[in-house]
Amino acid sequence: MATKYEDGTGRPGASSGRALWVEQAAGERRMPDPVRESAVRAVLIVAVTLTVATTAFFLTVTGSWLALPLALCAIGGTVVATWGVLDVMITRQTWNQRYGVVSEPSSTARGRRRERRRSRRDAAAARSRTPVPQPRQPDRVRSHGEATGIWPPPSRTGR
């Protein structure tokens, strides 16, 4: 007779009681790789800048000669950290513009694309069924002096 334990297994030695780890579905999708890379880069830059700024502050309080070089590094780091955060936002926006259409059943873009493809196919089929109109011949006879394809145009004198 097989014994069924609380974790759903029938193996002996399985813990009885509440499970220590419960799997839960993630609330949001994972960030795309380029966005994640720029975010990690920005976090590292901001962390180093904050560390340098804090060290520059404490060296300023103590009156050390290293305070000025570290303060200049902190100012430069602030500029670079601002660039890093802007890089994350720009990379995220670029990725969304290139690959942002989600192909899920709930996506409205999928139905619209399908409808556009269907209408283009129908229009192409209608064009292939209709004959191409031939150029129409002019209804009137050209008089002397008009473009008739003959050069020089015939004169009225008969020469």
Side-chain angles (χ1 to χ4, degrees):
M1 173 174 171
T3 307
K4 189 147 189 162
Y5 293 95
E6 220 175 72
D7 63 353
T9 64
R11 55 193 165 100
S15 63
S16 61
R18 283 186 33 202
L20 184 62
W21 188 268
V22 178
E23 291 287 332
Q24 292 181 349
E28 293 184 18
R29 290 184 10 240
R30 189 173 150 169
M31 277 194 295
D33 286 339
V35 178
R36 191 176 329 110
E37 289 170 5
S38 64
V40 167
R41 190 170 41 241
V43 166
L44 291 175
I45 291 171
V46 168
V48 168
T49 301
L50 287 175
T51 304
V52 169
T54 304
T55 308
F57 170 75
F58 285 127
L59 287 174
T60 303
V61 169
T62 59
S64 174
W65 65 272
L66 284 174
L68 180 64
L70 242 54
L72 294 175
C73 287
I75 292 170
T78 304
V79 172
V80 174
T82 304
W83 167 83
V85 173
L86 283 174
D87 182 43
V88 173
M89 291 191 294
I90 291 169
T91 306
R92 183 170 183 260
Q93 183 65 28
T94 304
W95 195 92
N96 281 337
Q97 285 178 351
R98 287 184 186 163
Y99 312 107
V101 176
V102 181
S103 290
E104 293 177 352
S106 62
S107 175
T108 57
R110 174 186 269 182
R112 289 179 184 165
R113 279 197 321 248
R114 186 180 299 130
E115 195 59 41
R116 277 198 310 262
R117 280 195 303 261
R118 186 178 299 129
S119 65
R120 271 185 286 195
R121 248 193 326 263
D122 293 345
R127 277 195 307 268
S128 66
R129 276 185 255 132
T130 59
V132 178
Q134 297 298 321
R136 213 169 55 89
Q137 296 298 323
D139 293 339
R140 62 185 186 83
V141 177
R142 292 187 182 107
S143 64
H144 291 291
E146 288 189 50
T148 56
I150 303 169
W151 191 257
S155 63
R156 293 180 190 233
T157 58
R159 293 192 228 178

